[in-house]
Each structure stands twice: as structure tokens, then as C-alpha cells.
Amino acid sequence: MKDFGGKLAVVTGGGTGMGRELVRQLVAEGASVAMCDLFADSMAETVALCEADGVPQGVRITSHIADVGDEDQVTRFAAEVARDHQSDHIHLLFNNAGIGGGGSFVLDDRAEWDRVFQICWFGVYYSCRAFFPMLERASEGHIVNTSSANGFWAALMPGVSQTAYSAAKFAVKGFTEALVTDLRNYAPHIRASIVMPGGVGTPIGLNSRRVLAGAMTDVTRRKLRQHLKMIGMEGADTMDDAALEAAQSMLAKRFEELAPTSAARAATIILDGVKAERWRILVGEDAERLDRRVRAEPERAYDPDFLAYAAE
């Protein structure tokens, strides 16, 4: 698929971050887009940005509320896309939606752990199931599943657990790699790509808190205090809940601002990879470096000093 003009694309998690930028760039290139998200206000902002950029004639953007971790809602989303775009087929499926959380299998509440895994893994699976018949009916199609650098390196930084998110992203990676052969055998007009971003400037931290909203628990306090002490923040042991929540928001915002790759640049890399028919799309020099180091010395991957080593 060398260009997106006249194509119909589906983007999950289109309200913010990479999803928003994928929608904007697809629309700018002449594709109609159906996006879903949990939050209508976020999608309305995405649409407004597209309109400010200038929507090409004949291009349509639709917004749909759907929790990708709920198969019934994803099935409904697919039916709405067919209805609202008056089409029995789509050309592009970007499974981008995801949240963080459930870092510790040992400490974290199972409900949070399962919720993160449900969205980050089953959201991809349910969407592929729901939209595959529409991809099969297209003359050409492409499935683009977002994994992560945590899909080949199951850690975040020394001393920080990352179990639910990493497990889900490894599952997405394995599923997509298996699809490469499966599609070649039985649906050769459809391709699949796995996207593995490093640090990208998105509000995933704030969005995750919005999805997983709940009272501060002893476990979340303990983990947050440990993380704050690890990065050298004074007074972490004596912070009350309000101070801890403010610190958590600050960390999420700092991640978005200091990430080495912007969401817009990440979207461009992804779309360029699709046009080049690459099945493996690494996003960011940090992801590329980490990938090389993990492949070169897998036994060192979880040593406490590995992240510093990989950055050399």
C-alpha cells in the first residue's frame, strides 16, 4: 500500500498521543478514518485538529466510544464503521489503544493487572477478529499492531516492575509475527506490521490514571514512594496522598515532555513503514539501540545496570 488516498482506516485510541497523530496524518493524506476511544472529549479535540489542518474533499472522520477490552463493544464499533462509512470493507487497521499499570504481579491488585492486560492484548485480538472480514473484502489491507520496546524487553527501568504491560506487549508481538506467515498463506492481499516504540511523548500516564481511576492504596503508595526515592525526590516517605498524586502527575507530564520521540514523529515513522511494507517497525533511536543490545546479550537484559549499558 504505497499511499492512503481514498482508503478507509480504523484507529483505536485515536483521542490522544500516537493515535491522534495517526488520524491527523492519515486524513491529511486523503484517507477517511473511523477512530474509537473511551473519551468523547479527546476524540472531539482530534477532529478539531484535523479540521484546522484542513480535511481533503471526500474524506470523512467518525468518532466512536468503545472500550477495546470489551469484545461486545469492539463488535459494535465494527458495525458502526460499516454503517457510518457505508462500506463493507476497510483497508487499514491500527490497533494503537493501550494503557499502563499493573506493574507488579506480586503487589498489584489483580483487577488492575487484568484490566491493563485486557486492553493491551485482548484489545488487539478483539479488534483483529471484529474487522478481519472487512479487511478480507478489500482489494488490499494492512493490520498495524502497536507493541512496545517492552515487547522485547520486559522492564521499564532498574527497580520498576512492568509485568502486565510487558506480558501484553509480548503477546501482541508474537501474534503479529505469526500473522505474517498466516496472512501470506491464506490472505495474501493483507499484510501485518508490528510497531515497537521506545519513549514517545504521549499522555499515556495521565490517560492510564483516567481509565484506572481509583483511590490510592497501600500498594500504590509503596510503589510510588519507592520510585520517587529511586529518582532522588526528597521527602517521598512523608508525602500524603495529595502530594503523591501531584508527584505522579508530574512524572507523567515529564515523560511526555522529555520523551526522545514526539507522537507526530512516531506516527510518521509508522506510516512510512506501512508504505514500505515493513513487518517490523521500530520507533525511535532508543528502541533501536535497546533492540540491538537485547539481541546481542540477552542474558544481561535484566541486570540492574543494563539500561545504562544499552544507552552507550
Side-chain angles (χ1 to χ4, degrees):
M1 195 176 299
K2 302 302 183 184
D3 67 83
F4 305 127
K7 303 297 193 298
L8 176 55
V10 170
V11 179
T12 68
T16 58
M18 289 196 310
R20 169 177 287 172
E21 296 302 326
L22 285 168
V23 172
R24 293 178 69 182
Q25 293 184 32
L26 286 163
V27 167
E29 294 196 33
S32 290
V33 178
M35 66 173 145
C36 79
D37 204 285
L38 284 170
F39 306 110
D41 57 339
S42 298
M43 289 190 289
E45 188 173 346
T46 298
V47 172
L49 288 167
C50 290
E51 292 173 344
D53 295 337
V55 178
Q57 186 174 2
V59 168
R60 186 151 190 232
I61 311 166
T62 59
S63 302
H64 308 262
I65 298 291
D67 178 349
V68 296
D70 183 322
E71 188 169 14
D72 289 341
Q73 292 190 41
V74 176
T75 301
R76 188 201 69 222
F77 173 38
E80 290 176 357
V81 172
R83 179 197 69 199
D84 294 353
H85 288 265
Q86 298 182 332
S87 177
D88 68 348
H89 64 274
I90 65 169
H91 302 92
L92 293 149
L93 173 61
F94 293 87
N95 286 312
N96 164 81
I99 62 170
S104 173
F105 181 80
V106 177
L107 295 179
D108 275 309
D109 176 70
R110 177 169 177 173
E112 177 180 310
W113 203 103
D114 289 354
R115 179 71 168 134
V116 173
F117 190 82
Q118 191 78 16
I119 289 174
C120 291
W121 157 241
F122 279 104
V124 172
Y125 175 70
Y126 293 155
S127 184
C128 285
R129 283 291 186 193
F131 285 100
F132 194 75
M134 299 181 76
L135 286 162
E136 282 192 298
R137 286 190 285 267
S139 58
E140 58 179 343
H142 207 124
I143 299 168
V144 186
N145 293 334
T146 299
S147 177
S148 168
N150 290 130
F152 59 78
W153 184 63
L156 187 62
M157 62 180 68
V160 179
S161 299
Q162 186 81 331
T163 63
Y165 186 81
S166 293
K169 294 304 186 179
F170 265 78
V172 172
K173 177 176 179 288
F175 171 63
T176 310
E177 291 193 17
L179 279 181
V180 172
T181 299
D182 198 26
L183 294 172
R184 184 184 297 134
N185 288 341
Y186 304 115
H189 66 299
I190 305 173
R191 293 181 178 272
S193 295
I194 182 69
V195 175
M196 291 176 286
V200 176
T202 73
I204 185 171
L206 297 175
N207 287 345
S208 300
R209 290 179 58 206
R210 193 175 181 187
V211 173
L212 299 171
M216 188 81 67
T217 67
D218 288 341
V219 169
T220 55
R221 291 185 192 96
R222 174 181 170 183
K223 289 171 56 187
L224 185 52
R225 286 192 172 109
Q226 180 182 358
H227 182 58
L228 293 173
K229 285 190 289 185
M230 187 184 67
I231 63 173
M233 184 171 289
E234 295 182 2
D237 282 329
T238 59
M239 287 181 178
D240 60 16
D241 284 1
L244 285 170
E245 288 173 0
Q248 193 173 43
S249 296
M250 178 273 293
L251 291 173
K253 190 65 176 175
R254 188 168 72 173
F255 171 81
E256 182 177 358
E257 293 171 347
L258 299 181
T261 305
S262 70
R265 176 60 184 153
T268 299
I269 292 170
I270 294 166
L271 295 180
D272 286 348
V274 171
K275 291 176 186 174
E277 298 182 346
R278 290 169 49 206
W279 71 265
R280 189 172 190 268
I281 303 171
L282 292 171
V283 178
E285 292 182 2
D286 56 334
E288 293 173 2
R289 286 194 306 271
L290 187 59
D291 178 59
R292 287 194 298 269
R293 292 297 199 188
V294 171
R295 287 172 177 273
E297 298 191 65
E299 290 292 333
R300 282 202 61 188
Y302 301 106
D303 289 351
D305 64 344
F306 182 76
L307 193 60
Y309 164 71
E312 294 176 356

